PDB file of all heavy atoms in Angstrom:
ATOM      1  N   ARG A 176      10.243 -17.938 -22.984  1.00  0.00           N
ATOM      2  CA  ARG A 176      11.246 -18.465 -22.063  1.00  0.00           C
ATOM      3  C   ARG A 176      12.615 -18.046 -22.560  1.00  0.00           C
ATOM      4  O   ARG A 176      12.822 -17.846 -23.761  1.00  0.00           O
ATOM      5  CB  ARG A 176      11.175 -19.999 -21.961  1.00  0.00           C
ATOM      6  CG  ARG A 176      10.032 -20.524 -21.116  1.00  0.00           C
ATOM      7  CD  ARG A 176      10.117 -22.040 -20.939  1.00  0.00           C
ATOM      8  NE  ARG A 176      11.376 -22.453 -20.326  1.00  0.00           N
ATOM      9  CZ  ARG A 176      11.793 -23.741 -20.258  1.00  0.00           C
ATOM     10  NH1 ARG A 176      11.039 -24.703 -20.765  1.00  0.00           N
ATOM     11  NH2 ARG A 176      12.948 -24.027 -19.687  1.00  0.00           N
ATOM     12  N   THR A 177      13.561 -17.940 -21.625  1.00  0.00           N
ATOM     13  CA  THR A 177      14.889 -17.415 -21.952  1.00  0.00           C
ATOM     14  C   THR A 177      15.978 -18.372 -21.487  1.00  0.00           C
ATOM     15  O   THR A 177      15.871 -18.979 -20.416  1.00  0.00           O
ATOM     16  CB  THR A 177      15.102 -16.045 -21.273  1.00  0.00           C
ATOM     17  OG1 THR A 177      14.069 -15.156 -21.686  1.00  0.00           O
ATOM     18  CG2 THR A 177      16.458 -15.453 -21.626  1.00  0.00           C
ATOM     19  N   ILE A 178      17.014 -18.492 -22.313  1.00  0.00           N
ATOM     20  CA  ILE A 178      18.265 -19.121 -21.878  1.00  0.00           C
ATOM     21  C   ILE A 178      19.404 -18.177 -22.272  1.00  0.00           C
ATOM     22  O   ILE A 178      19.239 -17.311 -23.133  1.00  0.00           O
ATOM     23  CB  ILE A 178      18.500 -20.522 -22.496  1.00  0.00           C
ATOM     24  CG1 ILE A 178      18.462 -20.452 -24.030  1.00  0.00           C
ATOM     25  CG2 ILE A 178      17.495 -21.522 -21.958  1.00  0.00           C
ATOM     26  CD1 ILE A 178      18.817 -21.779 -24.703  1.00  0.00           C
ATOM     27  N   GLY A 179      20.552 -18.333 -21.620  1.00  0.00           N
ATOM     28  CA  GLY A 179      21.687 -17.474 -21.915  1.00  0.00           C
ATOM     29  C   GLY A 179      22.961 -18.263 -22.137  1.00  0.00           C
ATOM     30  O   GLY A 179      23.067 -19.429 -21.739  1.00  0.00           O
ATOM     31  N   CYS A 180      23.920 -17.613 -22.810  1.00  0.00           N
ATOM     32  CA  CYS A 180      25.204 -18.246 -23.102  1.00  0.00           C
ATOM     33  C   CYS A 180      26.288 -17.180 -23.147  1.00  0.00           C
ATOM     34  O   CYS A 180      26.058 -16.088 -23.683  1.00  0.00           O
ATOM     35  CB  CYS A 180      25.151 -18.902 -24.482  1.00  0.00           C
ATOM     36  SG  CYS A 180      25.315 -20.679 -24.467  1.00  0.00           S
ATOM     37  N   TRP A 181      27.460 -17.508 -22.609  1.00  0.00           N
ATOM     38  CA  TRP A 181      28.611 -16.625 -22.801  1.00  0.00           C
ATOM     39  C   TRP A 181      29.223 -16.989 -24.147  1.00  0.00           C
ATOM     40  O   TRP A 181      30.139 -17.799 -24.239  1.00  0.00           O
ATOM     41  CB  TRP A 181      29.613 -16.794 -21.666  1.00  0.00           C
ATOM     42  CG  TRP A 181      29.120 -16.271 -20.349  1.00  0.00           C
ATOM     43  CD1 TRP A 181      28.662 -17.005 -19.297  1.00  0.00           C
ATOM     44  CD2 TRP A 181      29.012 -14.905 -19.961  1.00  0.00           C
ATOM     45  NE1 TRP A 181      28.274 -16.181 -18.266  1.00  0.00           N
ATOM     46  CE2 TRP A 181      28.481 -14.872 -18.646  1.00  0.00           C
ATOM     47  CE3 TRP A 181      29.307 -13.689 -20.575  1.00  0.00           C
ATOM     48  CZ2 TRP A 181      28.244 -13.694 -17.956  1.00  0.00           C
ATOM     49  CZ3 TRP A 181      29.074 -12.510 -19.890  1.00  0.00           C
ATOM     50  CH2 TRP A 181      28.549 -12.517 -18.598  1.00  0.00           C
ATOM     51  N   VAL A 182      28.690 -16.376 -25.193  1.00  0.00           N
ATOM     52  CA  VAL A 182      29.139 -16.688 -26.549  1.00  0.00           C
ATOM     53  C   VAL A 182      28.850 -15.484 -27.432  1.00  0.00           C
ATOM     54  O   VAL A 182      27.822 -14.833 -27.274  1.00  0.00           O
ATOM     55  CB  VAL A 182      28.418 -17.951 -27.096  1.00  0.00           C
ATOM     56  CG1 VAL A 182      26.905 -17.751 -27.130  1.00  0.00           C
ATOM     57  CG2 VAL A 182      28.917 -18.330 -28.482  1.00  0.00           C
ATOM     58  N   PRO A 183      29.744 -15.138 -28.355  1.00  0.00           N
ATOM     59  CA  PRO A 183      29.429 -14.078 -29.319  1.00  0.00           C
ATOM     60  C   PRO A 183      28.232 -14.498 -30.175  1.00  0.00           C
ATOM     61  O   PRO A 183      28.200 -15.625 -30.690  1.00  0.00           O
ATOM     62  CB  PRO A 183      30.707 -13.955 -30.154  1.00  0.00           C
ATOM     63  CG  PRO A 183      31.786 -14.535 -29.306  1.00  0.00           C
ATOM     64  CD  PRO A 183      31.127 -15.629 -28.514  1.00  0.00           C
ATOM     65  N   GLU A 184      27.286 -13.593 -30.344  1.00  0.00           N
ATOM     66  CA  GLU A 184      26.078 -13.896 -31.104  1.00  0.00           C
ATOM     67  C   GLU A 184      26.406 -14.410 -32.502  1.00  0.00           C
ATOM     68  O   GLU A 184      25.753 -15.341 -33.010  1.00  0.00           O
ATOM     69  CB  GLU A 184      25.225 -12.622 -31.193  1.00  0.00           C
ATOM     70  CG  GLU A 184      23.920 -12.784 -31.961  1.00  0.00           C
ATOM     71  CD  GLU A 184      23.206 -11.461 -32.128  1.00  0.00           C
ATOM     72  OE1 GLU A 184      23.889 -10.448 -32.427  1.00  0.00           O
ATOM     73  OE2 GLU A 184      21.982 -11.426 -31.967  1.00  0.00           O
ATOM     74  N   SER A 185      27.423 -13.832 -33.119  1.00  0.00           N
ATOM     75  CA  SER A 185      27.765 -14.203 -34.500  1.00  0.00           C
ATOM     76  C   SER A 185      28.164 -15.670 -34.635  1.00  0.00           C
ATOM     77  O   SER A 185      27.981 -16.277 -35.695  1.00  0.00           O
ATOM     78  CB  SER A 185      28.897 -13.317 -35.020  1.00  0.00           C
ATOM     79  OG  SER A 185      30.043 -13.441 -34.187  1.00  0.00           O
ATOM     80  N   GLU A 186      28.688 -16.253 -33.542  1.00  0.00           N
ATOM     81  CA  GLU A 186      29.157 -17.640 -33.608  1.00  0.00           C
ATOM     82  C   GLU A 186      28.008 -18.649 -33.585  1.00  0.00           C
ATOM     83  O   GLU A 186      28.203 -19.816 -33.937  1.00  0.00           O
ATOM     84  CB  GLU A 186      30.120 -17.934 -32.451  1.00  0.00           C
ATOM     85  CG  GLU A 186      31.440 -17.199 -32.580  1.00  0.00           C
ATOM     86  CD  GLU A 186      32.434 -17.582 -31.487  1.00  0.00           C
ATOM     87  OE1 GLU A 186      32.183 -18.584 -30.785  1.00  0.00           O
ATOM     88  OE2 GLU A 186      33.451 -16.873 -31.341  1.00  0.00           O
ATOM     89  N   VAL A 187      26.825 -18.211 -33.170  1.00  0.00           N
ATOM     90  CA  VAL A 187      25.694 -19.153 -33.086  1.00  0.00           C
ATOM     91  C   VAL A 187      24.511 -18.690 -33.942  1.00  0.00           C
ATOM     92  O   VAL A 187      23.418 -19.237 -33.840  1.00  0.00           O
ATOM     93  CB  VAL A 187      25.227 -19.339 -31.622  1.00  0.00           C
ATOM     94  CG1 VAL A 187      26.295 -20.054 -30.818  1.00  0.00           C
ATOM     95  CG2 VAL A 187      24.856 -18.008 -30.989  1.00  0.00           C
ATOM     96  N   ALA A 188      24.744 -17.695 -34.816  1.00  0.00           N
ATOM     97  CA  ALA A 188      23.647 -17.161 -35.630  1.00  0.00           C
ATOM     98  C   ALA A 188      23.016 -18.248 -36.499  1.00  0.00           C
ATOM     99  O   ALA A 188      21.787 -18.344 -36.585  1.00  0.00           O
ATOM    100  CB  ALA A 188      24.152 -15.999 -36.494  1.00  0.00           C
ATOM    101  N   ASP A 189      23.833 -19.058 -37.148  1.00  0.00           N
ATOM    102  CA  ASP A 189      23.287 -20.116 -38.017  1.00  0.00           C
ATOM    103  C   ASP A 189      22.520 -21.144 -37.199  1.00  0.00           C
ATOM    104  O   ASP A 189      21.441 -21.606 -37.616  1.00  0.00           O
ATOM    105  CB  ASP A 189      24.419 -20.805 -38.789  1.00  0.00           C
ATOM    106  CG  ASP A 189      25.028 -19.892 -39.847  1.00  0.00           C
ATOM    107  OD1 ASP A 189      24.380 -18.879 -40.190  1.00  0.00           O
ATOM    108  OD2 ASP A 189      26.145 -20.191 -40.317  1.00  0.00           O
ATOM    109  N   LEU A 190      23.059 -21.500 -36.033  1.00  0.00           N
ATOM    110  CA  LEU A 190      22.394 -22.472 -35.156  1.00  0.00           C
ATOM    111  C   LEU A 190      21.017 -21.954 -34.730  1.00  0.00           C
ATOM    112  O   LEU A 190      20.034 -22.713 -34.730  1.00  0.00           O
ATOM    113  CB  LEU A 190      23.285 -22.737 -33.943  1.00  0.00           C
ATOM    114  CG  LEU A 190      22.838 -23.777 -32.905  1.00  0.00           C
ATOM    115  CD1 LEU A 190      24.060 -24.372 -32.214  1.00  0.00           C
ATOM    116  CD2 LEU A 190      21.909 -23.165 -31.856  1.00  0.00           C
ATOM    117  N   LEU A 191      20.934 -20.668 -34.410  1.00  0.00           N
ATOM    118  CA  LEU A 191      19.647 -20.089 -34.008  1.00  0.00           C
ATOM    119  C   LEU A 191      18.638 -20.161 -35.147  1.00  0.00           C
ATOM    120  O   LEU A 191      17.476 -20.516 -34.951  1.00  0.00           O
ATOM    121  CB  LEU A 191      19.835 -18.636 -33.563  1.00  0.00           C
ATOM    122  CG  LEU A 191      20.671 -18.386 -32.300  1.00  0.00           C
ATOM    123  CD1 LEU A 191      20.900 -16.895 -32.111  1.00  0.00           C
ATOM    124  CD2 LEU A 191      19.998 -18.989 -31.072  1.00  0.00           C
ATOM    125  N   GLY A 192      19.093 -19.809 -36.339  1.00  0.00           N
ATOM    126  CA  GLY A 192      18.208 -19.836 -37.497  1.00  0.00           C
ATOM    127  C   GLY A 192      17.703 -21.235 -37.796  1.00  0.00           C
ATOM    128  O   GLY A 192      16.513 -21.433 -38.091  1.00  0.00           O
ATOM    129  N   GLU A 193      18.597 -22.209 -37.731  1.00  0.00           N
ATOM    130  CA  GLU A 193      18.207 -23.604 -37.984  1.00  0.00           C
ATOM    131  C   GLU A 193      17.192 -24.083 -36.954  1.00  0.00           C
ATOM    132  O   GLU A 193      16.217 -24.770 -37.286  1.00  0.00           O
ATOM    133  CB  GLU A 193      19.449 -24.500 -37.949  1.00  0.00           C
ATOM    134  CG  GLU A 193      20.399 -24.288 -39.119  1.00  0.00           C
ATOM    135  CD  GLU A 193      21.760 -24.912 -38.875  1.00  0.00           C
ATOM    136  OE1 GLU A 193      21.922 -25.602 -37.837  1.00  0.00           O
ATOM    137  OE2 GLU A 193      22.670 -24.698 -39.710  1.00  0.00           O
ATOM    138  N   THR A 194      17.406 -23.715 -35.699  1.00  0.00           N
ATOM    139  CA  THR A 194      16.482 -24.139 -34.637  1.00  0.00           C
ATOM    140  C   THR A 194      15.111 -23.513 -34.839  1.00  0.00           C
ATOM    141  O   THR A 194      14.084 -24.194 -34.709  1.00  0.00           O
ATOM    142  CB  THR A 194      17.045 -23.754 -33.255  1.00  0.00           C
ATOM    143  OG1 THR A 194      18.379 -24.241 -33.124  1.00  0.00           O
ATOM    144  CG2 THR A 194      16.179 -24.336 -32.142  1.00  0.00           C
ATOM    145  N   GLU A 195      15.076 -22.228 -35.168  1.00  0.00           N
ATOM    146  CA  GLU A 195      13.789 -21.566 -35.380  1.00  0.00           C
ATOM    147  C   GLU A 195      13.028 -22.194 -36.544  1.00  0.00           C
ATOM    148  O   GLU A 195      11.816 -22.432 -36.454  1.00  0.00           O
ATOM    149  CB  GLU A 195      14.003 -20.072 -35.631  1.00  0.00           C
ATOM    150  CG  GLU A 195      12.701 -19.289 -35.748  1.00  0.00           C
ATOM    151  CD  GLU A 195      12.923 -17.799 -35.949  1.00  0.00           C
ATOM    152  OE1 GLU A 195      13.154 -17.396 -37.112  1.00  0.00           O
ATOM    153  OE2 GLU A 195      12.889 -17.053 -34.958  1.00  0.00           O
ATOM    154  N   ARG A 196      13.742 -22.500 -37.625  1.00  0.00           N
ATOM    155  CA  ARG A 196      13.075 -23.114 -38.794  1.00  0.00           C
ATOM    156  C   ARG A 196      12.540 -24.497 -38.482  1.00  0.00           C
ATOM    157  O   ARG A 196      11.582 -24.968 -39.110  1.00  0.00           O
ATOM    158  CB  ARG A 196      14.039 -23.153 -39.981  1.00  0.00           C
ATOM    159  CG  ARG A 196      14.297 -21.784 -40.597  1.00  0.00           C
ATOM    160  CD  ARG A 196      15.047 -21.891 -41.915  1.00  0.00           C
ATOM    161  NE  ARG A 196      16.413 -22.360 -41.736  1.00  0.00           N
ATOM    162  CZ  ARG A 196      17.449 -21.569 -41.448  1.00  0.00           C
ATOM    163  NH1 ARG A 196      17.273 -20.258 -41.283  1.00  0.00           N
ATOM    164  NH2 ARG A 196      18.669 -22.073 -41.326  1.00  0.00           N
ATOM    165  N   ALA A 197      13.135 -25.167 -37.499  1.00  0.00           N
ATOM    166  CA  ALA A 197      12.703 -26.532 -37.145  1.00  0.00           C
ATOM    167  C   ALA A 197      11.438 -26.539 -36.289  1.00  0.00           C
ATOM    168  O   ALA A 197      10.842 -27.598 -36.074  1.00  0.00           O
ATOM    169  CB  ALA A 197      13.829 -27.256 -36.412  1.00  0.00           C
ATOM    170  N   HIS A 198      11.015 -25.371 -35.803  1.00  0.00           N
ATOM    171  CA  HIS A 198       9.854 -25.306 -34.906  1.00  0.00           C
ATOM    172  C   HIS A 198       8.865 -24.272 -35.440  1.00  0.00           C
ATOM    173  O   HIS A 198       9.038 -23.064 -35.244  1.00  0.00           O
ATOM    174  CB  HIS A 198      10.311 -24.946 -33.485  1.00  0.00           C
ATOM    175  CG  HIS A 198      11.207 -25.978 -32.871  1.00  0.00           C
ATOM    176  ND1 HIS A 198      10.727 -27.030 -32.137  1.00  0.00           N
ATOM    177  CD2 HIS A 198      12.561 -26.129 -32.926  1.00  0.00           C
ATOM    178  CE1 HIS A 198      11.741 -27.785 -31.735  1.00  0.00           C
ATOM    179  NE2 HIS A 198      12.870 -27.267 -32.213  1.00  0.00           N
ATOM    180  N   GLU A 199       7.842 -24.741 -36.093  1.00  0.00           N
ATOM    181  CA  GLU A 199       6.866 -23.855 -36.728  1.00  0.00           C
ATOM    182  C   GLU A 199       6.105 -23.042 -35.677  1.00  0.00           C
ATOM    183  O   GLU A 199       5.732 -23.544 -34.616  1.00  0.00           O
ATOM    184  CB  GLU A 199       5.857 -24.678 -37.541  1.00  0.00           C
ATOM    185  CG  GLU A 199       4.915 -23.823 -38.378  1.00  0.00           C
ATOM    186  CD  GLU A 199       3.984 -24.652 -39.241  1.00  0.00           C
ATOM    187  OE1 GLU A 199       4.152 -25.888 -39.299  1.00  0.00           O
ATOM    188  OE2 GLU A 199       3.083 -24.056 -39.848  1.00  0.00           O
ATOM    189  N   GLY A 200       5.902 -21.782 -35.976  1.00  0.00           N
ATOM    190  CA  GLY A 200       5.126 -20.920 -35.089  1.00  0.00           C
ATOM    191  C   GLY A 200       5.902 -20.380 -33.906  1.00  0.00           C
ATOM    192  O   GLY A 200       5.324 -19.759 -33.010  1.00  0.00           O
TER     193      GLY A 200
END
Side-chain angles (χ1 to χ4, degrees):
R176 283 186 58 191
T177 303
I178 56 175
C180 244
W181 291 104
V182 60
E184 180 186 42
S185 58
E186 291 185 13
V187 292
D189 290 343
L190 183 153
L191 295 173
E193 291 165 6
T194 308
E195 185 178 83
R196 288 190 292 274
H198 297 270
E199 187 176 353

